[in-house]
């Protein structure tokens, strides 16, 4: 302002000197030249100011176009309404700028998928209308400024697997907040799908997990194409301490067959495949039985009442899943067995006995009692754009069981994979395709150590003595480490599940809710990078983590 005053003062002085000059020609020529000279000199101030305003208007228009592109609308009138409202709000701080709404519009280019916008504003002149009123009025005291913007609605195809912890520790606020956050994410991606010019631009799968995963609704004893009756492998076949020490049964009878003998059906849950297929998306093949999937089947526990004086089996941990009569003699003696080895032998003779599965169950079999005990999860929702079904499934999730993050994650990967068991995912490497997995958990991997000869509770890894973790015993810490290592090994170049997924260009997000430092390190390491890892200190923070992930997935950008 001081410079302007000095300039004006100098011009006035200069003008006075020339007006006093009686040499007529000079005065006349200068009088004619002075207005254009002042217009050019002082108008430059306005022109420079318009240039600055234009940059502000461009920023405001870019933000408004982004808002219009993020809306769920595909018709131009509503896209225009959203854009205009946002632009007017963005320009509100600039009191000397007037938006010309008749020459401002937002519209969708259906050929490119971009929301395009053009805006015109008028900037009030500061110099010309003060010092050169005729010239300022010629421009109506306003100088025009234009801006153009485009926001490309993402034309990537996106496949997202939501892998969500449904274990008992999630009960209460954590599960409630997780449901809300997951539904909000689904809603945002549904809106993004609606904005896309691509068919089936976004598909989502849902994998609730605990100590197992329910891959189907169940209700059948006919094995799906990707499953085996498990009469020869993974806990099947006839037990033999030398040749087959890891079988759950003493006779080669398949698990679907045993469900039928009990006059009940498979509940839809599965066990993990044996190593190395537990961390690979290798397609199941009957020619390689270890690649086939095996039904979850919780064996009947030994009869408690057969030994009244030793009803707790010498204080061994007893889970209470005793749904069949063992069909073996008991004893009322104080010491029915000579020693611990004899008791253990008798215990396993009952656990492995297949013949008892032809008897009548003690009570009604359900997910709390019988071979499907613990299979009470919401079933997987395969990759789909049926967002209503996804929301319903999320709302139906319950909290139950222990934590097996590798098994849940593996089935999240299966839903994205182009390979069987589902084959719903597009081929790896497809142009403009993003495969994303979101893993949310609040706990540590666990395969509980018990005091009974089973040495563990039954879960998606069977019993510990079945060697699914490469060990047949060990304390809780040892078992957790084994499970963690299958998920993401601390040693570089060691095969693990997270590394295998990343090798397929799957983008990995992890959300760690109130977990210990070991689990934090594990989940941070599994994520694609630190920006894909979200540590959450309380149930209240779950929504914010999912919100940030949803924003990243929407992947909108200003193109120019």
């Amino acid at each position: 302002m001081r410079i302007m005053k000095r300039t004006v003062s100098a011009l006035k002085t200069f003008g006075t000197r020339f007006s006093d000059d009686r040499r007529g020609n000079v005065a006349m020529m200068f009088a004619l030249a002075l207005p254009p000279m002042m217009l050019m000199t002082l108008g430059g101030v306005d022109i420079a100011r318009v240039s600055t305003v234009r940059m502000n208007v461009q920023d405001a228009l870019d933000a408004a176009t982004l808002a219009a592109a993020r809306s769920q609308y595909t018709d131009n009138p509503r896209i225009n309404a959203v854009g205009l409202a946002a632009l007017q709000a963005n320009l509100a701080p600039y009191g000397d700028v007037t938006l010309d709404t008749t020459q401002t519009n937002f519209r969708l280019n259906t050929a490119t998928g971009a929301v395009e916008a053009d805006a015109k504003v008028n900037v009030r002149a500061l110099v010309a209308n003060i010092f050169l009123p005729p010239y300022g009025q010629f421009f109506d005291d306003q100088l025009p400024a234009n801006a153009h913007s485009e926001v490309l609605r993402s034309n990537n195809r996106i496949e997202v697997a939501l892998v969500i912890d449904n274990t008992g520790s999630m009960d209460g606020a954590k599960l409630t907040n997780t449901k809300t956050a997951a539904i909000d994410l689904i809603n945002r991606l549904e809106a993004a799908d609606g904005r896309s010019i691509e068919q089936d631009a976004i598909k989502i799968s849902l994998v609730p997990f605990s100590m197992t995963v329910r891959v189907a609704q169940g209700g059948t004893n006919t094995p799906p194409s990707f499953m085996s009756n498990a009469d020869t492998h993974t806990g099947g076949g006839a037990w033999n301490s030398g040749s087959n020490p890891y079988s759950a049964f003493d006779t080669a009878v398949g698990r679907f067959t045993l469900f039928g003998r009990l006059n009940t059906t498979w509940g839809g849950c599965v066990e993990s495949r044996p190593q190395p297929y537990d961390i690979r998306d290798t397609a199941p093949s009957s020619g390689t039985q270890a690649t086939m999937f095996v039904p979850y089947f919780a064996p009947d526990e030994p009869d408690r009442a057969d030994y009244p004086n030793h009803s707790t089996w010498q204080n061994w941990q007893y889970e209470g899943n005793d749904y069949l009569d063992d069909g073996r003699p008991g004893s009322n003696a104080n010491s029915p067995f000579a020693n611990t080895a004899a008791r253990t032998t008798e215990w396993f003779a009952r656990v492995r006995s297949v013949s008892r599965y032809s008897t009548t169950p003690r009570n009604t079999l359900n997910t709390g009692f019988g071979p499907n005990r613990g299979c009470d999860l919401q079933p997987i929702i395969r990759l789909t754009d049926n967002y209503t079904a996804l929301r319903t499934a999320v709302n139906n999730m319950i909290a139950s069981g222990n934590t097996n993050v590798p098994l849940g994650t593996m089935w999240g990967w299966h839903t994205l994979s182009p390979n069987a068991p589902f084959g719903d995912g597009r081929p790896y490497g497809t142009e403009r395709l993003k495969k994303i997995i979101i893993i949310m958990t609040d706990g540590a991997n666990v395969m509980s150590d018990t005091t009974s000869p089973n040495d563990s509770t039954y879960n998606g890894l069977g019993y510990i003595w079945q060697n699914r973790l490469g060990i047949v015993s060990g304390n809780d810490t040892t078992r957790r480490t084994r499970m963690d290592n299958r998920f993401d090994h601390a040693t570089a170049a060691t095969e693990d599940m997270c590394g295998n997924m990343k090798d397929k260009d799957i983008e990995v997000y992890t959300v760690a809710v109130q977990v210990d430092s070991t689990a934090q390190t594990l989940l941070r390491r599994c994520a694609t990078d630190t920006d894909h890892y979200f540590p959450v200190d309380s149930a209240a923070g779950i929504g914010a983590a999912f919100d940030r992930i949803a924003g990243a997935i929407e992947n909108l950008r200003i193109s120019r």
Side-chain angles (χ1 to χ4, degrees):
M1 184 62 70
R2 184 176 300 173
I3 293 174
M4 184 180 295
K5 288 181 178 179
R6 288 177 179 174
T7 302
V8 172
S9 178
L11 287 171
K12 287 182 177 179
T13 300
F14 186 69
T16 300
R17 288 170 55 196
F18 271 80
S19 66
D20 292 339
D21 194 322
R22 299 304 181 212
R23 290 168 293 181
N25 289 340
V26 174
M28 182 182 302
M29 294 175 62
F30 183 77
L32 293 173
L34 182 60
M37 290 173 61
M38 293 183 67
L39 179 61
M40 289 186 292
T41 303
L42 299 177
V45 176
D46 277 331
I47 292 171
R49 182 170 172 277
V50 168
S51 179
T52 300
V53 169
R54 182 179 289 112
M55 288 188 290
N56 294 332
V57 171
Q58 184 67 59
D59 290 342
L61 183 62
D62 286 343
T65 310
L66 183 62
R70 286 188 181 276
S71 74
Q72 71 270 32
Y73 303 126
T74 55
D75 59 295
N76 286 337
R78 284 188 288 185
I79 288 175
N80 191 56
V82 171
L84 276 176
L87 181 57
Q88 288 168 334
N90 296 341
L91 291 176
Y94 306 103
D96 52 353
V97 174
T98 303
L99 178 66
D100 186 348
T101 56
T102 64
Q103 297 190 56
T104 299
N105 67 86
F106 298 77
R107 68 274 177 192
L108 175 65
N109 185 326
T110 56
T112 65
V115 172
E116 301 174 345
D118 288 289
K120 179 182 178 181
V121 301
N122 292 308
V123 184
R124 188 171 66 246
L126 292 181
V127 175
N129 63 348
I130 296 174
F131 295 102
L132 297 173
Y135 294 90
Q137 291 172 6
F138 177 78
F139 291 108
D140 198 23
D141 294 337
Q142 301 283 328
L143 297 175
N146 299 308
H148 176 81
S149 181
E150 294 183 17
V151 171
L152 180 65
R153 284 180 164 176
S154 176
N155 61 355
N156 289 318
R157 292 178 174 176
I158 300 173
E159 298 172 354
V160 180
L162 275 174
V163 179
I164 298 180
D165 191 331
N166 277 207
T167 55
S169 59
M170 286 288 294
D171 194 25
K174 283 190 283 190
L175 186 58
T176 298
N177 290 358
T178 297
K179 288 181 179 182
T180 299
I183 289 174
D184 285 346
L185 181 143
I186 291 168
N187 290 344
R188 288 183 64 173
L189 296 187
E190 179 182 19
D193 189 18
R195 295 191 296 264
S196 177
I197 61 174
E198 298 281 350
Q199 290 294 320
D200 299 327
I202 299 177
K203 288 188 175 183
I204 306 173
S205 64
L206 175 69
V207 181
F209 75 91
S210 62
M211 60 187 178
T212 182
V213 172
R214 194 173 179 189
V215 302
Q217 188 66 44
T220 179
N221 287 329
T222 300
S225 60
F226 58 87
M227 296 193 73
S228 163
N229 197 17
D231 53 0
T232 62
H233 75 292
T234 317
W239 177 85
N240 183 288
S241 60
S243 61
N244 190 11
Y246 310 128
S247 176
F249 304 112
D250 60 6
T251 305
V253 177
R255 297 186 181 189
F256 284 106
T257 302
L258 295 180
F259 277 116
R261 289 185 182 180
L262 291 168
N263 197 30
T264 189
T265 56
W266 171 56
C269 291
V270 292
E271 290 185 359
S272 173
R273 292 195 288 187
Q275 298 182 17
Y277 303 109
D278 59 325
I279 60 173
R280 298 177 182 175
D281 75 329
T282 305
S285 169
S286 58
T288 305
Q289 281 289 295
T291 64
M292 299 295 286
F293 296 93
V294 172
Y296 179 97
F297 188 99
D300 170 58
E301 289 192 328
D303 295 345
R304 181 194 295 261
D306 281 355
Y307 297 89
N309 294 329
H310 285 260
S311 59
T312 58
W313 285 85
Q314 291 296 96
N315 297 317
W316 285 336
Q317 190 168 341
Y318 197 87
E319 295 301 311
N321 198 30
D322 173 16
Y323 54 92
L324 295 171
D325 183 356
D326 290 348
R328 292 178 67 84
S331 172
N332 290 321
N334 287 332
S335 299
F337 306 112
N339 50 49
T340 300
R343 288 194 295 275
T344 301
T345 298
E346 181 64 22
W347 175 280
F348 279 116
R350 292 162 180 261
V351 168
R352 293 192 177 105
S353 174
V354 168
S355 60
R356 71 193 192 281
Y357 287 96
S358 61
T359 62
T360 303
R362 298 185 186 279
N363 294 298
T364 302
L365 301 178
N366 50 46
T367 58
F369 185 73
N372 287 312
R373 184 186 186 195
C375 183
D376 50 1
L377 295 161
Q378 176 67 22
I380 280 178
I381 300 293
R382 291 169 57 173
L383 209 58
T384 183
D385 57 3
N386 185 338
Y387 302 105
T388 299
L390 286 162
R391 284 186 285 265
T392 298
V394 168
N395 276 322
N396 288 340
M397 294 191 306
I398 63 169
S400 175
N402 290 326
T403 306
N404 189 331
V405 178
L407 183 55
T409 301
M410 190 65 244
W411 279 95
W413 184 5
H414 284 316
T415 65
L416 298 177
S417 174
N419 302 327
F422 300 139
D424 296 332
R426 294 181 178 90
Y428 297 122
T430 298
E431 185 178 359
R432 296 187 294 105
L433 172 66
K434 290 189 176 183
K435 292 180 183 283
I436 298 168
I437 189 166
I438 303 169
I439 306 162
M440 179 270 177
T441 183
D442 79 327
N445 287 314
V446 61
M447 188 179 191
S448 300
D449 184 1
T450 67
T451 59
S452 77
N454 281 338
D455 205 15
S456 70
T457 56
Y458 175 78
N459 59 89
L461 291 166
Y463 292 115
I464 187 65
W465 51 265
Q466 292 183 275
N467 199 37
R468 305 289 277 285
L469 286 175
I471 54 176
V472 295
S473 62
N475 60 28
D476 288 341
T477 300
T478 301
R479 299 174 193 206
R480 175 183 178 179
T481 299
R482 288 281 179 152
M483 294 175 73
D484 287 355
N485 287 344
R486 299 306 291 166
F487 183 67
D488 194 291
H489 204 287
T491 303
T494 301
E495 184 184 11
D496 54 41
M497 183 183 300
C498 294
N500 286 345
M501 289 192 296
K502 293 172 190 175
D503 286 345
K504 298 294 187 181
D505 290 328
I506 295 176
E507 202 168 328
V508 182
Y509 288 90
T510 58
V511 182
V513 182
Q514 295 177 299
V515 300
D516 62 24
S517 59
T518 300
Q520 289 179 27
T521 299
L522 180 71
L523 293 166
R524 185 185 301 112
R525 200 167 58 226
C526 179
T528 295
D529 52 41
T530 55
D531 290 336
H532 287 66
Y533 168 67
F534 295 86
V536 177
D537 295 330
S538 68
I542 295 172
F546 273 72
D547 184 64
R548 288 176 61 191
I549 294 171
I553 294 174
E554 284 181 303
N555 192 31
L556 295 174
R557 68 183 188 276
I558 295 176
S559 58
R560 64 175 181 270

